[in-house]
């Protein structure tokens, strides 16, 4: 088991479609996290930026871009790109520096200004890029993959569109209580059912939107936290960023086909489940220890999948869990108390950081109207393009 | 006016009519199959690698899952923005011999209402789009027994 790092500060820029630069969102989130930590930017020994990839240089090399906007002060700098896990890999990089003694206190920032409509690959004719190929040859957008997963759940586990809608209803109710969320209205199951089909069987309200947004964390060594007068900080105990194992037999974004299991049998554990298991093992905890979870609800059906991959229930029992209210506030294991991506939308490099912001506020008992009573242990989980995924365990 | 028929992607499929096949590669050392084709080095981490040889994939498989696309996909998908958008189905198909799942568009006229998970489908030649000089060809999945 590795040592803990302290979360001294958390901050966000409200999510929405604001039409401004990602630099502005990230810098605002960073300033808020620094204020929350009670630290000056000049106290920060290292800054790690989570990159976005649109518009030329990756996020204009995000770490240095945020450092410049905050005012050059000589900090160690790094930038990471890992699709939806970018934020978690930024946290992992900062944590590794702190645990290695290379920095006492680090700032982690992710922000994005998302395009309108579907995510799409960068321009040009690039038939060596699987992401380009799936659009050119199949017109396979992200929601079409979510539709495939949802239909598969219906066929294998007997889930229904009504089960999926329950996830949206739950998450929208929590998002309505979150001042940083883009969508702050409750949604009914009837409204989900009445929304337009996007990718059968999923409808508009089953699928998360794209958004602008930013999130930031100030992390430090436990010694620094003590010296800074924070006796019992929220602590990050594990960061999992594992890759899949061959053969990956679940069709994954952005691929057109799975690996073949003809020569090597597939492991019984899915990629998503392995992401969570690595976090549990590093933290020395299990699903029974959790107070709450923040998972990647790119679609409503995908949240049900995460229940199973996190071990909150057995395989195929995700829909039962949401029907019973176990994942709602007051339930056995509340999921997406922030409102989730259903309420925030996707701002890719910020998302995994935003999940840890929510865990931090919940574990501090500072989540206001959406507080989960007595929260002690939280987990976040996500999965993104090109074999990336992450999971973070935070404790109080 | 006759357009040249050109594959939308080179080396992924071959043939016409009942002889149409998806093309992949197979590692001569461990027998792992790759689609899209892998021509450089076997990606099985337990394999030290051997020459990769081209193979035809099975014509028939069973539906792993399916969905459709009710909104026009962005570029680089090619569609005529002047025309109203018509949803089309996408089918992910499990090939038993190769132990692989391959995604593709459904043949024209096949909708999600025609499909169920586990249904048998076959690969058929299809057209992705056309421009003034070229008919860009692709593969489609079609339930077996259905003729276009
Ligand atoms: Zn091999």
């Amino acid at each position: 088991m590795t040592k803990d790092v302290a979360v001294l500060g958390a901050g966000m820029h409200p999510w929405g479609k604001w039409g401004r630069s990602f630099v502005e969102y990230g810098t605002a989130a960073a300033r808020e996290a620094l204020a929350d930590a009670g630290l000056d930017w000049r106290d920060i020994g290292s800054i790690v930026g989570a990159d976005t990839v649109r518009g030329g240089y990756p996020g204009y090399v995000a770490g240095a871009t945020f450092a410049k906007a905050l005012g050059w002060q000589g900090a160690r700098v790094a930038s990471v790109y890992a699709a939806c896990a970018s934020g978690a890999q930024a946290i992992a990089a900062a944590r590794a520096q702190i645990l290695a003694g290379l920095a006492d206190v680090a700032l982690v920032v992710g922000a994005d200004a998302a395009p309108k409509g579907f995510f799409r690959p960068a321009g040009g004719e690039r038939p060596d890029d699987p992401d380009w190929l799936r659009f050119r040859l199949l017109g396979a957008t992200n929601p079409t993959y979510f539709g495939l997963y949802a239909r598969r759940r219906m066929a294998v586990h007997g889930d229904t569109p009504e089960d999926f809608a329950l996830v949206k209803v739950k998450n929208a109710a929590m998002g309505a209580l979150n001042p940083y969320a883009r969508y702050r209205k409750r949604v009914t199951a009837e409204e989900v059912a009445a929304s337009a089909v996007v990718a059968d069987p999923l409808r508009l309200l089953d699928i998360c939107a794209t958004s602008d947004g930013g999130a930031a964390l100030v992390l430090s060594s436990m010694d620094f936290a003590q010296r800074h007068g924070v006796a019992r900080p929220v602590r990050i105990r594990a960061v999992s960023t594992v890759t899949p194992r061959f053969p990956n037999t679940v069709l994954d974004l952005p691929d057109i086909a799975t690996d073949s299991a003809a020569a090597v049998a597939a492991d019984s554990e899915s990629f998503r489940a392995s992401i969570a298991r690595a976090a549990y093992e590093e933290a020395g905890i299990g699903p029974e220890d959790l107070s709450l979870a923040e998972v990647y609800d790119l679609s409503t059906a995908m949240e049900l999948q995460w229940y199973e991959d996190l071990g909150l229930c057995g395989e195929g029992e995700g829909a039962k869990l949401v029907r019973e209210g176990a994942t709602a506030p007051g339930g056995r294991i509340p999921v997406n108390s922030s409102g989730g991506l259903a309420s925030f939308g996707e701002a890719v490099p910020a998302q995994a950081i935003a999940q840890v912001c929510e865990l931090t506020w919940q574990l501090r008992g500072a989540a206001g109207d959406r507080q989960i009573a007595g929260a002690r242990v939280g987990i976040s989980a996500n999965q993104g393009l090109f074999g990336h995924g992450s999971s973070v365990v935070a404790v109080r | 006016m006759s357009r040249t028929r050109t594959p939308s992607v080179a080396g992924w499929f071959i043939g016409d009519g009942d002889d149409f096949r998806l093309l992949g590669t197979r590692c001569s050392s461990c027998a792992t199959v790759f689609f899209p084709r892998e021509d450089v080095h076997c990606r099985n981490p337990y394999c030290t690698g051997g020459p990769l040889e081209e193979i035809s994939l099975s014509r028939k498989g069973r539906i792993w899952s399916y969905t459709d696309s009710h909104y026009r996909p962005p570029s680089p998908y090619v569609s005529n923005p002047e025309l109203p958008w018509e949803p089309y189905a996408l089918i992910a198909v499990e090939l038993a011999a190769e132990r692989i799942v391959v995604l593709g568009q459904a043949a024209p006229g096949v909708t999600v209402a025609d499909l169920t998970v586990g249904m048998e489908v076959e690969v058929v030649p299809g057209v992705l789009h056309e421009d003034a000089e070229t008919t860009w060809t692709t593969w489609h999945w079609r339930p077996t027994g259905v003729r276009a």
Side-chain angles (χ1 to χ4, degrees), chain B residues 17 24 27 29 34 47 61 63 66 75 81 94 110 112 123 125 135:
Chain B
C27 173
S29 175
F34 296 99
C47 176
I63 296 180
Y66 59 92
S75 65
E94 253 180 315
V110 174
V112 291
V123 72
T135 296

Side-chain angles (χ1 to χ4, degrees), chain A residues 227-276:
Chain A
R227 292 201 303 277
H228 186 56
V230 183
R232 282 185 62 252
V234 169
R235 289 163 288 161
I236 289 179
R237 182 150 287 178
V239 184
S240 158
T241 59
V242 296
T243 56
R245 277 165 300 169
F246 183 88
N248 195 12
T249 57
V250 176
L251 189 64
D252 251 350
L253 282 155
D255 294 329
I256 287 173
T258 63
D259 290 335
S260 162
V264 180
D267 205 294
S268 59
E269 183 183 66
S270 72
F271 173 43
R272 273 184 305 272
S274 76
I275 295 167

Side-chain angles (χ1 to χ4, degrees), chain B residues 27-32 34 42-44 47-50:
Chain B
C27 173
S28 56
S29 175
C30 73
T32 291
F34 296 99
C42 177
R43 294 202 308 271
N44 171 5
C47 176
T48 52

Side-chain angles (χ1 to χ4, degrees), chain B residues 4 7 14 29 38 40 46 49 53 59 67 84 92 96 108 121 143:
Chain B
T4 313
I14 196 167
S29 175
E38 172 63 65
V40 179
Y46 306 99
E53 56 207 21
R59 272 190 68 221
T67 186
V121 293

